[in-house]
Amino acid sequence: MLHTMLVVLYFAVLLALSAYGLHRLHLVVLCLRHRRAIERAKQMPHVAEEDLPRVTIQLPLFNESTVAARLLEATARMDYPADKLEIQVLDDSTDETQALVRAHVDRLRERGVDAVYLHRTNRVGYKAGALDEGLKVAKGDLVAIFDADFIPQPSFVRSIVGHFADPKIGMVQTRWGHLNREHSVLTKVQALMLDGHHLVENRARYGAGLLFNFSGTGGMWRKNAIHEAGGWQHDTLTEDLDLSYRAQLAGWKFVYREDVVSPSELPEDVSALRAQQYRWAKGTVQTARKLLKRVLSSNISLAQRIEALFHLTPHFAYPLMVTLSVLLLPALVLLPATDTLTMLIVDLPLCVATTGSLAAFYMFAEAAQGRSRANVLTRLPMLIALGTGLAPHLSKAVFEGLRHMAGEFVRTPKHGVNKGRYRARADLPLLETGLCLLSFGSTVASIQTGHYFATPFAALFTIGYGYVAMLVAHEQSTRRREAAPMLLAASSERPSEPTAAAEQPVGKLAA
């Protein structure tokens, strides 16, 4: 009985993961099938100079002193009539960013730039709350949004503003570029992952007339579309995904422009990457909880509903991957090794559905931007390993999203001009370490039992869990060593005798 349950559970997990893999392959096919529709997006209607609409560019910030000045300068260089462009700095900062940004806005105003500085004394709603507050006083009929680590290009507004001549267009999303793509293996893999999202997922969904989302930055909204969709809401951590679905269900159309690129900065350490991915995973699950039932019962096509199901649930692959890692060792020990014919009939198709579709997905993304497909083959093992190593942490995010709505919006630390100023915290990677040891046992068992198809996967699991565990442990130990002298110096500066105030109870001080 136990043997049967193990077999059923093992293959159920493997088939579920294969379904997500085949979905990636389906997106590649959609890109090829609808390439003409995708190309037509670049043929934007011309708008006469005197008819250009007023545009507000919103820059939401929270403790971004290392990149804020760069962002403001780039935005101020926008090639658009000065009397029709407003720059709105939405600053929730609690550190030196306040003074830095306020002074920079004053200098921009002296240069004739219509720049506005708005500072909130609380972070209610986090980014969504800041955008909502800014929208109430925004002058523009159209609203573009850039996160702090982006560098808007001077041609950005003119490159996409013509799409809004169509009154049905509610949002235009552009592609993200990567300033530090070649910094390390970690950034190279991240760039590949994001290229897959922008150059396959977004293109396929747009070209096929399916629902896709504003990516939170590097895009422009029609203000009326935001209002009619119910405005910015902060009951999820992915307010961009939430608003996108509500707007499209309300009848608004979206456009994706792959040829307009907005450069940005990738996280350069794994702790920051984990924090970013955790927020995205938890928020996506929250959005699925909030909207999936409404989407599936709405008056949209069956194809749109099926794609929305995959779009809103991709992070469930992470707990499935962890489950597969745990089941792999007992499956290898208890299940007999199959003959060559059975492996070709059963194991090979499953490998193609997972790894093969992944390779096709990212090779298409690389080819779409003129890069060599061979890059994918060399980086694919590391991409799989990194995804595996992140799986335990992101599984926690999935379960957290299933239990709770909203939560703290933990922003991704940026390096900018002062590397090390902002850093992400991380727990000790105990679970990753345990799974690494378990997967190493699976690797050995696969060889000893003749399950040779499982060997490369077990090895990648081992490398992935071990790699992430090692990086997190190294980063956190390095930071503790760097912090120790500062803590020692701070303690030595304290007075040897306690002051009267220090001797008083906390309750008396509060009174």
Side-chain angles (χ1 to χ4, degrees):
M1 182 64 179
L2 183 61
H3 183 278
T4 304
M5 288 178 61
L6 175 64
V7 171
V8 171
L9 183 57
Y10 177 78
F11 279 100
V13 171
L14 200 55
L15 287 171
L17 287 171
S18 297
Y20 283 106
L22 289 173
H23 173 251
R24 289 194 189 93
L25 194 59
H26 172 66
L27 291 173
V28 173
V29 172
L30 287 180
C31 280
L32 293 170
R33 184 184 300 169
H34 299 282
R35 57 186 179 275
R36 291 182 181 176
I38 295 169
E39 287 297 314
R40 279 198 298 270
K42 302 173 185 178
Q43 301 170 7
M44 183 184 66
H46 174 72
V47 180
E49 194 77 9
E50 62 273 14
D51 295 328
L52 288 172
R54 183 180 286 272
V55 175
T56 294
I57 300 180
Q58 291 186 318
L59 309 176
L61 305 176
F62 176 69
N63 294 352
E64 309 283 7
S65 65
T66 60
V67 292
R70 182 181 70 184
L71 171 68
L72 287 169
E73 274 304 311
T75 309
R77 290 195 296 268
M78 196 64 63
D79 176 23
Y80 203 71
D83 61 332
K84 294 184 177 181
L85 182 68
E86 176 191 33
I87 298 174
Q88 199 180 70
V89 181
L90 310 174
D91 186 20
D92 286 357
S93 298
T94 57
D95 67 357
E96 70 272 18
T97 306
Q98 286 186 52
L100 185 154
V101 172
R102 193 188 295 271
H104 205 119
V105 168
D106 289 340
R107 290 194 294 272
L108 292 180
R109 293 180 65 85
E110 291 173 0
R111 287 158 46 184
V113 177
D114 185 4
V116 179
Y117 178 85
L118 300 175
H119 179 72
R120 297 195 304 167
T121 56
N122 59 63
R123 291 189 73 199
V124 173
Y126 301 104
K127 179 181 175 181
L131 293 172
D132 186 51
E133 286 296 313
L135 196 64
K136 294 175 182 177
V137 294
K139 300 174 183 176
D141 300 315
L142 305 177
V143 181
I145 300 168
F146 284 99
D147 283 347
D149 56 320
F150 275 68
I151 303 179
Q153 299 302 286
S155 60
F156 174 82
V157 175
R158 285 189 183 273
S159 296
I160 64 174
V161 72
H163 290 291
F164 293 94
D166 182 348
K168 296 180 181 178
I169 300 300
M171 191 278 297
V172 178
Q173 176 66 49
T174 67
R175 179 159 62 95
W176 294 3
H178 314 296
L179 294 168
N180 53 342
R181 173 191 288 268
E182 301 299 325
H183 177 267
S184 65
V185 172
L186 188 64
T187 57
K188 289 176 182 178
V189 172
Q190 288 180 73
L192 185 60
M193 293 166 66
L194 287 171
D195 287 344
H197 170 67
H198 279 275
L199 288 165
V200 181
E201 292 183 43
N202 281 349
R203 293 171 77 214
R205 289 169 181 146
Y206 167 67
L210 305 173
L211 307 186
F212 72 100
N213 65 293
F214 169 58
S215 299
T217 176
M220 184 183 290
W221 280 88
R222 190 188 299 273
K223 187 158 63 174
N224 284 345
I226 298 176
H227 288 316
E228 291 185 12
W232 291 106
Q233 298 175 9
H234 46 83
D235 52 347
T236 77
L237 291 180
T238 46
E239 69 291 324
D240 44 11
L241 179 63
D242 172 29
L243 177 60
S244 297
Y245 267 81
R246 286 187 282 113
Q248 288 170 103
L249 290 177
W252 290 98
K253 305 298 181 185
F254 288 4
V255 173
Y256 181 67
R257 288 289 301 276
E258 62 174 286
D259 58 317
V260 180
V261 182
S262 300
S264 64
E265 180 184 288
L266 295 163
E268 293 182 2
D269 57 76
V270 75
S271 298
L273 174 62
R274 283 179 10 133
Q276 179 195 66
Q277 295 292 323
Y278 189 97
R279 186 181 75 244
W280 289 355
K282 180 178 177 180
T284 301
V285 172
Q286 291 173 332
T287 303
R289 284 181 58 192
K290 177 180 178 178
L291 295 178
L292 189 55
K293 183 178 179 181
R294 177 180 165 188
V295 170
L296 296 179
S297 61
S298 63
N299 187 27
I300 58 177
S301 70
L302 178 61
Q304 287 175 319
R305 279 177 278 171
I306 293 173
E307 181 57 35
L309 176 64
F310 278 100
H311 189 188
L312 293 174
T313 61
H315 295 97
F316 286 95
Y318 290 112
L320 288 172
M321 192 177 298
V322 173
T323 303
L324 183 65
S325 302
V326 173
L327 292 175
L328 188 56
L329 182 58
L332 292 171
V333 172
L334 296 178
L335 299 180
T338 55
D339 55 44
T340 304
L341 180 61
T342 305
M343 285 195 294
L344 289 174
I345 295 173
V346 178
D347 294 346
L348 184 60
L350 290 174
C351 290
V352 171
T354 51
T355 309
S357 63
L358 203 64
F361 182 85
Y362 288 110
M363 286 172 73
F364 190 86
E366 289 290 273
Q369 53 187 321
R371 293 178 177 271
S372 171
R373 290 183 176 89
N375 289 337
V376 174
L377 298 179
T378 58
R379 294 174 186 174
L380 189 63
M382 197 59 226
L383 186 146
I384 296 173
L386 180 61
T388 302
L390 292 173
H393 189 63
L394 300 187
S395 295
K396 296 178 188 177
V398 169
F399 294 127
E400 185 69 18
L402 288 172
R403 288 195 300 266
H404 306 291
M405 295 297 284
E408 183 182 1
F409 187 105
V410 180
R411 94 202 201 316
T412 307
K414 289 94 177 176
H415 288 309
V417 296
N418 184 9
K419 187 172 182 177
R421 171 63 180 88
Y422 300 111
R423 290 172 170 175
R425 297 177 59 187
D427 298 326
L428 289 175
L430 300 178
L431 183 57
E432 288 84 352
T433 303
L435 287 169
C436 173
L437 296 174
L438 180 65
S439 298
F440 179 73
S442 298
T443 306
V444 175
S446 68
I447 297 172
Q448 292 180 341
T449 58
H451 290 86
Y452 299 117
F453 264 99
T455 303
F457 292 99
L460 281 174
F461 287 165
T462 305
I463 294 169
Y465 292 131
Y467 176 67
V468 170
M470 180 187 67
L471 284 182
V472 172
H474 175 71
E475 287 172 6
Q476 298 307 314
S477 63
T478 300
R479 289 169 192 177
R480 282 194 293 271
R481 287 197 302 271
E482 291 174 351
M486 291 185 288
L487 291 173
L488 184 63
S491 63
S492 65
E493 292 174 1
R494 293 174 185 168
S496 57
E497 295 297 328
T499 62
E503 292 175 340
Q504 299 207 30
V506 173
K508 185 173 287 188
L509 280 174

